[in-house]
Amino acid sequence: MAQSNFVDYVKIFCRSGAGGNGASHFRHEKFVEFGGPDGGDGGRGGHIILRGNAQYWTLIHLKYRKHIHAENGESGGGAKCHGKNGADIRIDVPLGTVARDAETGEVMCEVTEDGQEVVLIPGGRGGLGNWNFRTATNQAPRYAQTGGECKEGWFILELKVLADVGLVGFPNAGKSTLLSAVSAAKPKIADYAFTTLEPNLGIVEYRDGLSFVMADIPGIIEGAHEGRGLGMRFLRHIERNSVLLFMITCESADISAEYAVLLNELRMYNPELLDKERMLAITKCDMIDDELKKHLSDEIEAKGVIDIPYIYISSVTGEAISELKDRLYRMITEPL
């Protein structure tokens, strides 16, 4: 089986550059008997910088680049010469990348915009030369400051997919089929569970040249917040979505019960997910007639579990797909 190119989790070791030492130096010129101090400052050590790049969609380029070291700063010289700063290392990452300290789990930074630069580890400061320490009572200081030490550590980079609409549902709910029907994305589609093993993004064309981004997230099962199925590996991708589109097939024995399970998994993983706007799409409705739709609606209304708007769709025949896009676009652009 071919290995996937989608990598959304890497652990890397980073070390910034050490600062250069300041110089302890005095002027030596002909006919100048007592040349004063002129030791220059040392250069700053190189930073480790994360830079957002909209052209990247995965962290695979860091999968085998485990150790990243920045350059040390150079020492200062005579005649107040400043040491060269160490070269910074810029690591391009896809938008939605979160950096955590591997030991403490603390979030160090988040990169969400193209071109955004965040210093993950600062380089050591450059040491001051003895020229900086001259005073009226100490006109010939014979000491200088040493450069700051480098900093290092292990960091975890996690990618959380950025999209306007995230598709949430059990395996085989028709999420990939919908994405392929409304966008140019070509996710794998098959009649078995967990066909989708990685998030897929598609740009949904709307009216008058407008568009929005839809993300197909691998199917959720009961207990996903505890790591069952694909579990927490992909639940985090839902955190970045503006609108959540729940998808349940009309073949379900109990649509309200399935919705309650999905909602509970999101609640157990991160209660803040319930603050997002939500909508339910009942899929594969080309297999049922209007009478059965009314019967399903009566059941849904009677149980009172589903407290969000819902719509019957078919990605195969295109039934209600235009209406679905209208409603999603309004939810994205006109949030409550």
Side-chain angles (χ1 to χ4, degrees):
M1 179 177 174
Q3 190 174 18
S4 170
N5 287 330
F6 182 81
V7 175
D8 60 357
Y9 179 101
V10 293
K11 186 177 181 181
I12 58 176
F13 179 83
C14 296
R15 177 188 295 157
S16 65
N21 296 326
S24 177
H25 191 272
F26 295 87
R27 286 175 59 197
H28 297 288
E29 296 181 21
K30 192 174 183 180
F31 307 119
V32 179
E33 185 175 1
F34 298 106
D38 67 350
D41 301 339
R44 169 184 62 77
H47 298 323
I48 301 291
I49 299 173
L50 298 183
R51 177 172 59 190
N53 189 330
Q55 301 303 313
Y56 283 66
W57 66 284
T58 174
L59 295 168
I60 192 171
H61 60 294
L62 297 174
K63 184 175 181 180
Y64 302 107
R65 188 185 176 190
K66 294 295 185 182
H67 294 80
I68 301 173
H69 298 171
E71 190 177 53
N72 293 334
E74 295 184 358
S75 297
K80 303 177 186 176
C81 288
H82 194 290
K84 180 183 176 183
N85 290 337
D88 297 331
I89 297 293
R90 285 176 169 78
I91 306 172
D92 284 325
V93 294
L95 308 188
T97 298
V98 177
R100 300 178 183 272
D101 185 294
E103 291 187 6
T104 66
E106 177 188 359
V107 174
M108 308 298 296
C109 60
E110 299 184 24
V111 180
T112 58
E113 299 178 7
D114 188 32
Q116 176 186 358
E117 292 191 353
V118 180
V119 177
L120 181 62
I121 310 181
R125 52 150 181 79
L128 299 177
N130 65 340
W131 182 80
N132 296 275
F133 298 103
R134 71 197 190 289
T135 65
T137 57
N138 184 13
Q139 297 184 8
R142 297 182 179 277
Y143 50 85
Q145 188 180 38
T146 57
E149 295 182 352
C150 64
K151 297 180 181 179
E152 62 183 27
W154 284 94
F155 297 89
I156 292 171
L157 301 184
E158 292 179 336
L159 173 61
K160 297 180 181 180
V161 168
L162 290 173
D164 298 305
V165 179
L167 305 182
V168 181
F170 288 104
N172 260 12
K175 300 184 298 296
S176 298
T177 306
L178 174 63
L179 184 65
S180 65
V182 299
S183 74
K186 300 300 178 188
K188 183 178 179 181
I189 300 172
D191 190 22
Y192 56 83
F194 293 114
T195 307
T196 301
L197 296 176
E198 60 190 45
N200 291 293
L201 294 180
I203 298 177
V204 180
E205 297 293 337
Y206 192 58
R207 301 172 185 171
D208 303 322
L210 301 173
S211 63
F212 58 89
V213 179
M214 181 177 285
D216 171 21
I217 309 297
I220 295 174
I221 63 173
E222 190 169 5
H225 70 279
E226 298 174 341
R228 292 188 61 196
L230 297 176
M232 291 180 289
R233 180 182 172 192
F234 292 118
L235 274 173
R236 67 171 176 270
H237 292 298
I238 300 174
E239 295 182 62
R240 298 288 190 185
N241 305 147
S242 301
V243 175
L244 300 180
L245 178 63
F246 288 76
M247 299 185 66
I248 300 175
T249 172
C250 67
E251 301 170 308
S252 168
D254 191 332
I255 293 175
S256 295
E258 286 200 10
Y259 172 75
V261 171
L262 291 171
L263 198 63
N264 185 60
E265 290 305 316
L266 299 191
R267 180 187 295 109
M268 297 299 291
Y269 174 72
N270 182 355
E272 293 182 2
L273 291 176
L274 303 191
D275 295 334
K276 297 179 181 292
E277 290 206 68
R278 308 189 301 273
M279 182 178 174
L280 170 63
I282 301 173
T283 65
K284 304 183 182 181
C285 290
D286 53 294
M287 299 187 298
I288 60 175
D289 56 21
D290 291 339
E291 185 178 348
L292 279 174
K293 289 177 187 176
K294 185 178 183 308
H295 176 70
L296 289 175
S297 296
D298 291 341
E299 279 191 350
I300 291 172
E301 299 298 333
K303 293 182 178 179
V305 174
I306 297 176
D307 56 351
I308 58 175
Y310 59 90
I311 185 174
Y312 295 93
I313 67 168
S314 170
S315 301
V316 175
T317 63
E319 178 185 345
I321 294 299
S322 294
E323 182 184 350
L324 175 66
K325 292 197 289 185
D326 286 340
R327 295 171 71 170
L328 289 175
Y329 190 80
R330 284 198 300 270
M331 294 172 73
I332 296 167
T333 56
E334 303 171 9
L336 295 176

